[in-house]
Amino acid sequence: MKKLFFLAFFLGSLMIAQAQQLKSPDGKLNMTFSVLGDGTPSYSLTYKNKVVVKPSKLGLELKNDKKSLLNDFTIVDSKTSSFDESWNPVWGEVKTIRNQYNEFAVTLNQKETERQLIIRFRLFNDGLGFRYEFPSQKNLTYFTIKEEKTQFAMAGDHTAFWIAGDYDTQEYDYTTSRLSEIRELATKARTENLSQTSFSPTGVQTSLMMKTSDGIYINLHEAALINYACMHLNLDDKNMIFESWLTPDMKGDKGYMQAPAQSPWRTVMVSDDARNILASKMNYNLNEPSKIANTSWIKPVKYVGVWWEMITGKSSWAYTNDYPTVELGITDYSKAKPNGTHGANTANVKKYIDFAAKNGFDGVLVEGWNEGWEDWYGHSKDYVFDFVTPYPDFNVKEIHAYAKSKNVKMIMHHETSASVRNYERHMDKAYQFMKDNGYDAVKSGYVGDILPRGENHYSQWIVNHYQYAIEKAAEYQIMVNAHEAVRPTGIARTYPNLIGNEAARGTEYQSFGGSKPNHVTVLPFTRLIGGPMDYTPGIFEMDLSKLNPSNTSHVNSTIANQLALYLTMYSPLQMAADLPENYDRFPDAFQFIKDVAVDWDDSKYLEAEPGQYITVARKAKGTGQWFAGNVNGDAARTSKISFSFLDAGKTYVATIYADAKDAHYKTNPQAYTIRKVLVNSKSKLAQLSAPGGGYAISFTVAGKEEMKTLKRL
């Protein structure tokens, strides 16, 4: 009997060692970790007892290695802990972020190689994060990743909001389909781009948003992408299993590692309320605290710029049409005939500075100011820009003095044409040039195929370049807004000078044939999960042939929708992207753009459904003023919200900028109404949102005269 009892106890202990559970602080999420019979690590995840991730394998395949980090593991140690803190971001949707999770770290030993691997899990109330850690050890020092084999086994054929997997672009419209339909829709989902490299008919990009048939929202992404290749997902559409697919370098390798090291966090956000996905700060919480000690120079920015007139073709980046090819330091621009369309000239820029000063904007962005734009793209040109030499018609000193006299900051533009080596050679000189001439922020760009040739936009080496640029900029106290760079993964917590990224299909595509009208109802569930986007909203003239007769594109949005984007597309960097003369045509609607804040103490998501609608209210940092915005998808609907977020006992004037009854993104996009009503925290609103439309609201405390003259809602 004693032997039988001992055997039962031993087997029970072994099962416990091989299968361990971790619960979220609120108990709604449950993660189970186990080691399969062949020694393969595995995990699963449930939410309110519903399966979110079925048992899924973990591990990494190594290059030129007889025994990869895939199986033959046993548990040699495990530790659990809890963590709960609150921290204040430099900028953000809320003043304070709570970071609360339960942690399970398991140390695995591979029998044959005597290598150790740690897998660390953190379970928050809003999802799971886990990563691989490679401790210092004699049998695993330098190694090359052939592929990471992390699985996310879905429990059904979910509805997904996805863009096609690509090593070089994220600038696609989102497709909504079942997982089983991705393969047949993949070719159509890939539209033309200046640099693109697809890899699989079932490959998709993170952040991937899904909804199950029983109303569970699931989001797959990664956090803290540092010194590692960007992760895509490849779907086994027979078994509905996603597997990680890292971006390779020019040799096809997925990552070069030196222990001790770790992977980025792999994240699974879960909720039965879509609003919780939008409000989650899990990706930020999985990043390290700020490494910038003094952050006083990092300030949210609302800006205008010489950009939209170039994007639409009204103006040009290049100074002259005389030269089909140019060489920096050799081409003599003083002998060139100006083409008459160059947008970045001193007189034109001064007009934008005047407009910014008059309307209370912080900055002016100027593109095409520097020599080299005549043959900047498509020629695999290494020495394409030097980032310090202006065209003859752009007087840097004069512009600096003029902007300073108007209390307006200039924003620098560094287009690299994806020549990464060239940018790094010039970076210190370029950043110093910015500081010498009063520029505190830079918009960088990486258009085209990466140089060195054969590298991809999201491979480990190029990811490290983007990080190097952010850290180098911090040394000069410069804020960075990187376009065509890798999608953000919460790194702005660690380096809050990263105040914006593009890394998705932005407003510029409205000038390149248009984006889907529901595009902006998907982006906050996908691209914005990892950080803010420089989406460049605020377009009032939707018929672009009025700016450039040869441009027949149409902006698929109403004016009210464009106003709402300043709330729904959170960013500490917001542009009023249209031409000043178009704002002068609609001064009453433009008033909202002038009034709306860009930094917040609190945010309340009131309505949300991916691909259909988003409604959010935000409280401006420092002033306490509330604003609200709603963006709508393809079909007209009535948005119904409560104003319970307002301070109790106060009466407010709500100025409501809304779609007119006959508004439509295609046929009547400039039809809007503006009305003022009295409201309080008990008031409720039912407001029409047109197809591709929405509404925006500003709230101010009512004065005595307004209390007498305005109607209550």
Side-chain angles (χ1 to χ4, degrees):
M1 286 292 294
K2 287 184 178 180
K3 288 183 178 180
L4 287 173
F5 176 79
F6 177 78
L7 180 61
F9 177 79
F10 174 76
L11 291 173
S13 300
L14 185 63
M15 289 178 65
I16 293 172
Q18 299 297 299
Q20 302 187 39
Q21 292 191 340
L22 181 70
K23 289 186 178 293
S24 59
D26 64 5
K28 295 177 181 178
L29 282 163
N30 185 59
M31 189 279 297
T32 300
F33 175 82
S34 62
V35 176
L36 304 180
D38 65 350
T40 299
S42 173
Y43 77 103
S44 61
L45 183 67
T46 62
Y47 174 71
K48 295 182 177 179
N49 297 318
K50 294 182 179 180
V51 177
V52 175
V53 180
K54 297 193 297 183
S56 300
K57 296 179 180 180
L58 300 169
L60 299 101
E61 184 178 1
L62 307 186
K63 182 181 179 181
N64 298 327
D65 196 288
K66 293 181 180 179
K67 187 74 173 180
S68 290
L69 300 173
L70 294 172
N71 54 25
D72 200 27
F73 284 106
T74 57
I75 297 174
V76 295
D77 189 26
S78 64
K79 296 178 181 178
T80 58
S81 61
S82 296
F83 188 80
D84 191 359
E85 68 165 3
S86 293
W87 58 279
N88 298 324
V90 176
W91 44 259
E93 296 182 85
V94 293
K95 185 177 182 179
T96 302
I97 293 174
R98 189 178 185 184
N99 185 12
Q100 182 188 23
Y101 59 82
N102 292 328
E103 181 175 283
F104 169 69
V106 57
T107 301
L108 304 171
N109 188 74
Q110 193 174 48
K111 298 176 184 176
E112 183 179 322
T113 65
E114 289 300 316
R115 291 171 173 170
Q116 287 200 341
L117 174 68
I118 298 171
I119 306 177
R120 188 176 304 275
F121 298 88
R122 289 181 181 174
L123 199 53
F124 303 77
N125 290 337
D126 41 355
L128 172 68
F130 61 90
R131 73 180 182 189
Y132 302 98
E133 298 178 3
F134 314 99
S136 180
Q137 55 195 293
K138 69 175 183 177
N139 291 336
L140 189 69
T141 53
Y142 291 92
F143 57 98
T144 302
I145 297 173
K146 184 176 181 181
E147 188 58 83
E148 183 187 315
K149 307 296 283 187
T150 302
Q151 291 184 346
F152 305 87
M154 297 295 99
D157 189 9
H158 306 327
T159 297
F161 304 83
W162 57 277
I163 55 176
D166 199 292
Y167 298 150
D168 284 298
T169 186
Q170 297 143 121
E171 297 176 350
Y172 294 132
D173 249 322
Y174 281 88
T175 299
T176 303
S177 77
R178 294 284 187 177
L179 295 178
S180 60
E181 298 171 323
I182 289 176
R183 181 182 297 272
E184 65 184 85
L185 296 172
T187 300
K188 186 179 178 180
R190 296 186 187 96
T191 50
E192 187 177 351
N193 193 276
L194 296 177
S195 180
Q196 54 191 147
T197 309
S198 61
F199 60 86
S200 167
T202 57
V204 297
Q205 301 191 44
T206 68
S207 170
L208 176 67
M209 187 69 195
M210 291 174 284
K211 184 180 181 181
T212 71
S213 58
D214 55 353
I216 303 297
Y217 299 89
I218 305 169
N219 186 285
L220 305 181
H221 195 29
E222 62 179 327
L225 175 56
I226 299 285
N227 192 24
Y228 206 84
C230 176
M231 181 182 73
H232 296 72
L233 299 170
N234 198 40
L235 178 65
D236 170 357
D237 50 2
K238 291 183 179 180
N239 299 299
M240 299 303 160
I241 298 175
F242 284 107
E243 190 166 275
S244 58
W245 186 289
L246 303 183
T247 305
D249 66 3
M250 65 180 69
K251 295 171 61 179
D253 296 331
K254 301 294 184 86
Y256 303 94
M257 309 296 289
Q258 178 186 359
Q262 67 272 329
S263 74
W265 296 92
R266 280 61 189 99
T267 63
V268 186
M269 293 167 55
V270 189
S271 181
D272 53 11
D273 188 335
R275 296 176 298 175
N276 293 337
I277 302 294
L278 296 177
S280 174
K281 298 296 178 287
M282 189 176 82
N283 269 62
Y284 287 109
N285 282 331
L286 287 167
N287 280 266
E288 295 182 11
S290 176
K291 292 189 176 182
I292 302 174
N294 173 23
T295 59
S296 61
W297 51 274
I298 302 172
K299 300 181 184 300
V301 177
K302 195 193 301 185
Y303 72 104
V304 297
V306 188
W307 175 76
W308 189 240
E309 62 180 80
M310 295 171 167
I311 289 293
T312 58
K314 183 177 185 291
S315 299
S316 67
W317 280 271
Y319 170 74
T320 182
N321 298 335
D322 285 355
Y323 304 145
T325 178
V326 298
E327 293 184 76
L328 298 185
I330 297 175
T331 300
D332 188 353
Y333 281 97
S334 68
K335 296 179 179 178
K337 177 184 177 182
N339 58 23
T341 61
H342 183 227
N345 65 77
T346 300
N348 192 36
V349 172
K350 283 186 175 181
K351 291 179 183 178
Y352 280 87
I353 293 172
D354 289 340
F355 183 80
K358 176 184 176 182
N359 294 288
F361 288 86
D362 304 299
V364 174
L365 167 71
V366 182
E367 299 196 13
W369 65 275
N370 55 319
E371 291 183 356
W373 287 91
E374 284 71 21
D375 64 346
W376 71 283
Y377 164 74
H379 304 293
S380 194
K381 188 175 183 179
D382 186 20
Y383 186 30
V384 57
F385 296 115
D386 69 5
F387 313 101
V388 296
T389 305
Y391 278 126
D393 63 346
F394 186 79
N395 190 317
V396 175
K397 298 296 182 185
E398 184 178 343
I399 289 292
H400 176 207
Y402 191 78
K404 188 175 182 179
S405 73
K406 298 282 186 174
N407 197 30
V408 171
K409 281 284 188 179
M410 297 303 298
I411 300 173
M412 178 57 72
H413 182 235
H414 287 167
E415 176 55 60
T416 69
S417 190
S419 182
V420 172
R421 183 183 71 156
N422 182 59
Y423 193 34
E424 291 191 0
R425 281 196 307 237
H426 290 86
M427 199 173 283
D428 279 291
K429 187 177 180 180
Y431 285 161
Q432 188 59 55
F433 179 84
M434 285 179 58
K435 298 307 293 182
D436 293 342
N437 291 282
Y439 293 84
D440 295 333
V442 61
K443 173 185 174 181
S444 58
Y446 296 87
V447 174
D449 294 335
I450 290 286
L451 289 175
R453 299 170 187 88
E455 281 290 346
N456 298 301
H457 275 76
Y458 315 133
S459 61
Q460 180 188 30
W461 193 82
I462 305 301
V463 166
N464 288 348
H465 162 79
Y466 301 137
Q467 187 64 32
Y468 175 77
I470 297 166
E471 296 182 22
K472 177 62 70 172
E475 294 177 15
Y476 288 85
Q477 296 193 342
I478 287 172
M479 298 179 288
V480 175
N481 166 27
H483 282 225
E484 294 88 31
V486 72
R487 50 189 169 272
T489 56
I491 287 171
R493 179 189 182 186
T494 312
Y495 288 93
N497 64 318
L498 181 62
I499 59 168
N501 281 98
E502 185 188 37
R505 187 183 180 97
T507 298
E508 63 183 354
Y509 277 85
Q510 299 282 22
S511 182
F512 304 157
S515 295
K516 294 178 182 178
N518 74 336
H519 186 55
V520 295
T521 67
V522 178
L523 282 172
F525 287 100
T526 52
R527 161 61 186 79
L528 272 72
I529 292 297
M533 180 178 178
D534 183 28
Y535 186 71
T536 60
I539 304 302
F540 281 10
E541 179 50 71
M542 313 308 173
D543 181 359
L544 299 186
S545 67
K546 293 181 179 179
L547 282 67
N548 173 14
S550 64
N551 189 337
T552 59
S553 294
H554 181 89
V555 179
N556 294 323
S557 167
T558 68
I559 283 181
N561 178 281
Q562 289 290 310
L563 299 181
L565 292 174
Y566 291 92
L567 280 306
T568 61
M569 293 284 291
Y570 167 69
S571 178
L573 179 76
Q574 292 282 20
M575 185 182 197
D578 211 336
L579 307 186
E581 51 263 39
N582 287 333
Y583 292 133
D584 291 340
R585 291 167 54 203
F586 304 97
D588 52 354
F590 183 54
Q591 186 63 46
F592 181 82
I593 298 178
K594 294 197 294 183
D595 292 341
V596 70
V598 290
D599 200 16
W600 309 99
D601 273 338
D602 200 6
S603 295
K604 304 291 185 183
Y605 285 94
L606 309 177
E607 300 177 301
E609 186 64 35
Q612 297 184 36
Y613 53 84
I614 296 171
T615 310
V616 63
R618 302 192 192 276
K619 187 178 185 181
K621 184 171 287 187
T623 69
Q625 183 179 1
W626 284 92
F627 296 85
N630 161 273
V631 290
N632 191 38
D634 300 334
R637 69 178 292 268
T638 298
S639 168
K640 297 180 180 180
I641 61 172
S642 166
F643 292 156
S644 58
F645 53 85
L646 296 173
D647 293 344
K650 290 184 179 180
T651 299
Y652 295 82
V653 176
T655 304
I656 304 173
Y657 304 76
D659 293 318
K661 291 182 179 180
D662 58 347
H664 188 282
Y665 74 88
K666 199 73 172 181
T667 59
N668 202 13
Q670 295 173 325
Y672 62 89
T673 64
I674 302 175
R675 71 185 193 274
K676 293 187 176 185
V677 292
L678 295 176
V679 300
N680 58 33
S681 61
K682 297 180 180 180
S683 301
K684 298 182 185 298
L685 173 70
Q687 180 62 54
L688 170 70
S689 287
Y695 60 84
I697 310 173
S698 62
F699 300 87
T700 55
V701 177
K704 291 182 180 179
E705 190 61 31
E706 292 165 318
M707 295 278 281
K708 294 178 183 178
T709 57
L710 294 178
K711 293 182 179 181
R712 292 186 176 272
L713 183 66

